[in-house]
Amino acid sequence: HYEWNIENNIAPFGTTSLSIFQTNTSWRGSTNTGVGPGDKMKANAPYWDGTNTSGFIALSAGYYDGGGFTGQNNNAKFWTATTFSTGYSYGRSLSSSNARSNRSVENKLSALSVRCLKD
């Protein structure tokens, strides 16, 4: 979860507690262009509409939701390591023209992107 905590309104610098940031589902973070966590993680032009100031370099790969691939060129969803229930896990998403990031519950049969971290 910590790589998604890149905004300065999260405690100890802001008023939103880290536990709330990590457990609530919804869009979160600043809506200000270039300031929100989504913009900081999205690749910059010409690949997407982010600033890539975090070094995350998310690309708008889209996702598979059971009915087909969707969201290419304007959306990206990533699996997290946190399970919600037997058939569901938490995901994080980024969207074009949205400076925020989203935490949602996703069906494990969906195909979302993964982020590999080097030890």
Side-chain angles (χ1 to χ4, degrees):
H1 294 293
Y2 290 106
E3 62 267 19
W4 295 91
N5 181 20
I6 59 173
E7 195 172 3
N8 61 7
N9 69 344
I10 308 301
F13 305 108
T15 57
T16 304
S17 74
L18 183 58
S19 63
I20 294 293
F21 184 82
Q22 292 178 325
T23 58
N24 285 359
T25 56
S26 69
W27 288 96
R28 73 263 321 283
S30 174
T31 59
N32 295 334
T33 301
V35 176
D39 277 358
K40 290 179 180 180
M41 291 186 285
K42 291 185 288 186
N44 55 352
Y47 303 105
W48 208 359
D49 65 348
T51 62
N52 186 34
T53 56
S54 71
F56 189 88
I57 313 175
L59 298 174
S60 55
Y63 56 94
Y64 179 81
D65 66 0
F69 277 96
T70 188
Q72 297 95 327
N73 301 317
N74 63 18
N75 208 314
K77 288 190 176 188
F78 296 87
W79 287 116
T80 71
T82 308
T83 296
F84 176 78
S85 66
T86 302
Y88 296 86
S89 283
Y90 286 103
R92 299 283 186 147
S93 60
L94 308 171
S95 183
S96 293
S97 302
N98 192 338
R100 302 184 302 166
S101 67
N102 185 47
R103 183 173 194 248
S104 58
V105 175
E106 302 289 340
N107 188 315
K108 289 183 179 179
L109 298 177
S110 299
L112 279 59
S113 297
V114 296
R115 179 169 183 232
C116 299
L117 298 174
K118 183 178 178 181
D119 281 340

